[in-house]
Amino acid sequence: MRAMLLVNPKATTTNRRTRDVLIRALSATLNITVEETRYRGHAAQLSRKAHASGFDVVAVLGGDGTINETVNGLLNAEDGKSGDDGSAVDRPALLVIPGGSANVFARALGLPNNPVEAVGAVLEAIRDGRRRTVGLGQAIWEDQSRYFTFCSGLGYDAEVIRAVEGIRGAGRKATPTRYVNTALHHYLSTDKRRPAMTVEGPDVPPTGGIFLAIISNTSPWSYIGSRPVSPTPWASFETGLDLLGLQRLGLPSMLHLMPQIIGVRDTLPNGGHLVQLHDEKQFTLSAARPVAFQLDGDYLGEVERITFRSIPNALQVLV
């Protein structure tokens, strides 16, 4: 199989020596062309090129941000047009090697978080011909559209990601401890009095008073070290989108919620201040004022209205 391997040279958990070992291991099985990403959006351009050039596989060695760019390139391969009406079998298969700080998508697929062990797992998948077809989410706002692999969010969690990206811009790594410390520090300053958001959809009656909205395409939503965080434990790549909205951000409400979402869970969190949706094809979040917005852990600015769609059977993954 012909594969284009996209390597993020700034990936958090790999160095040049490790990357060379991984590339040699993959080259023993795949006919590989290696491309390094050099700037934001470059992975999307390269994956579009791989699609147009007839590659069988696009492999990614990097974190969730690089994977997200790659996926968007694959689904928007034809002159930048939306690809959600196409078929997964018409696109190159995706191969993921975790190299970031969280690696949520790779871990949600069941891959080891260690890149060397993950290469061993994907080589077994190639040898055995194992492929999994997964659904994606799509966010549509203003004149923009973008796909996501595992989650999106509006409000407090996006504010935390914005703050962490500022820390990374100053040259410090985005470690799990740094995320937790930033979240705790930012909690003190976030607006806990004036909820801005309302959710509604074709099958969703309008519900307002929402401070924080987590939109999930799979579970878990994130990790704290090795511990999964699962606010929407029923979400999966085979169903529509799930949502958890918080109508209270006060300390008692947060202390009630947190033990319910940390760790492996199969039951929904409970509480009168929670708005929950499961397996939805489409819904829209609108806000009375601009709110922070993130997608697959990438801060994308502030929005006042955004529609989320489920895109079933969007990609084949070698896993």
Side-chain angles (χ1 to χ4, degrees):
M1 288 189 290
R2 292 178 64 223
M4 179 180 286
L5 173 62
L6 310 185
V7 178
N8 180 358
K10 297 181 180 179
T12 305
T13 56
T14 59
N15 54 36
R16 172 62 67 180
R17 179 177 295 177
T18 302
R19 291 194 292 271
D20 288 345
V21 169
L22 300 178
I23 290 168
R24 285 197 295 270
L26 290 169
S27 297
T29 301
L30 299 169
N31 179 10
I32 281 188
T33 299
V34 179
E35 299 277 2
E36 287 195 352
T37 60
R38 298 192 297 272
Y39 48 84
R40 188 164 183 158
H42 195 199
Q45 295 178 16
L46 291 170
S47 62
R48 281 195 293 268
K49 175 183 175 182
H51 193 336
S53 300
F55 279 81
D56 304 298
V57 174
V58 173
V60 183
L61 172 54
D64 289 311
T66 307
I67 293 168
N68 179 273
E69 286 189 12
T70 301
V71 166
N72 275 273
L74 290 174
L75 267 75
N76 293 304
E78 297 180 4
D79 300 322
K81 297 178 182 178
S82 174
D84 56 277
D85 293 328
S87 170
V89 298
D90 298 326
R91 304 181 182 109
L94 182 67
L95 186 156
V96 176
I97 305 163
S101 57
N103 305 308
V104 178
F105 180 62
R107 294 160 85 175
L109 290 169
L111 287 170
N113 198 34
N114 179 285
V116 176
E117 294 178 6
V119 165
V122 297
L123 288 176
E124 289 180 5
I126 293 169
R127 182 194 64 202
D128 298 339
R130 294 199 307 267
R131 297 187 179 215
R132 178 180 179 182
T133 302
V134 301
L136 298 173
Q138 183 184 28
I140 305 165
W141 73 103
E142 298 174 356
D143 59 347
Q144 301 184 65
S145 168
R146 189 159 165 178
Y147 299 95
F148 58 98
T149 61
F150 63 94
C151 85
S152 182
L154 294 123
Y156 171 62
D157 86 308
E159 294 170 8
V160 172
I161 287 172
R162 176 173 59 193
V164 171
E165 287 195 0
I167 292 171
R168 293 179 67 181
R172 289 176 285 176
K173 289 185 177 181
T175 63
T177 300
R178 184 153 286 141
Y179 268 103
V180 172
N181 289 340
T182 303
L184 292 173
H185 181 267
H186 196 74
Y187 176 76
L188 300 175
S189 60
T190 193
D191 188 341
K192 294 183 279 292
R193 294 180 178 272
R194 299 177 302 142
M197 288 180 281
T198 297
V199 62
E200 59 185 318
D203 301 311
V204 180
T207 305
I210 298 172
F211 286 97
L212 158 67
I214 293 169
I215 300 92
S216 299
N217 185 51
T218 190
S219 187
W221 165 66
S222 189
Y223 288 86
I224 300 175
S226 61
R227 301 189 71 185
V229 183
S230 306
T232 53
W234 294 353
S236 80
F237 293 121
E238 289 72 42
T239 61
L241 299 178
D242 285 24
L243 174 140
L244 177 70
L246 272 63
Q247 294 177 310
R248 291 201 294 268
L249 278 183
L251 187 58
S253 299
M254 297 301 288
L255 291 176
H256 176 73
L257 175 66
M258 295 308 293
Q260 298 186 69
I261 67 174
I262 296 176
V264 178
R265 304 285 173 180
D266 58 9
T267 58
L268 295 176
N270 64 76
H273 62 295
L274 303 180
V275 178
Q276 299 181 84
L277 303 176
H278 172 60
D279 194 14
E280 293 290 341
K281 294 180 180 179
Q282 179 175 315
F283 52 84
T284 297
L285 280 153
S286 55
R289 60 183 181 273
V291 294
F293 164 48
Q294 67 89 5
L295 188 146
D296 278 354
D298 188 11
Y299 177 68
L300 296 179
E302 295 185 335
V303 297
E304 294 184 48
R305 183 178 179 84
I306 186 163
T307 295
F308 293 95
R309 297 173 57 206
S310 171
I311 310 298
N313 303 318
L315 274 180
Q316 288 192 339
V317 184
L318 292 164
V319 69

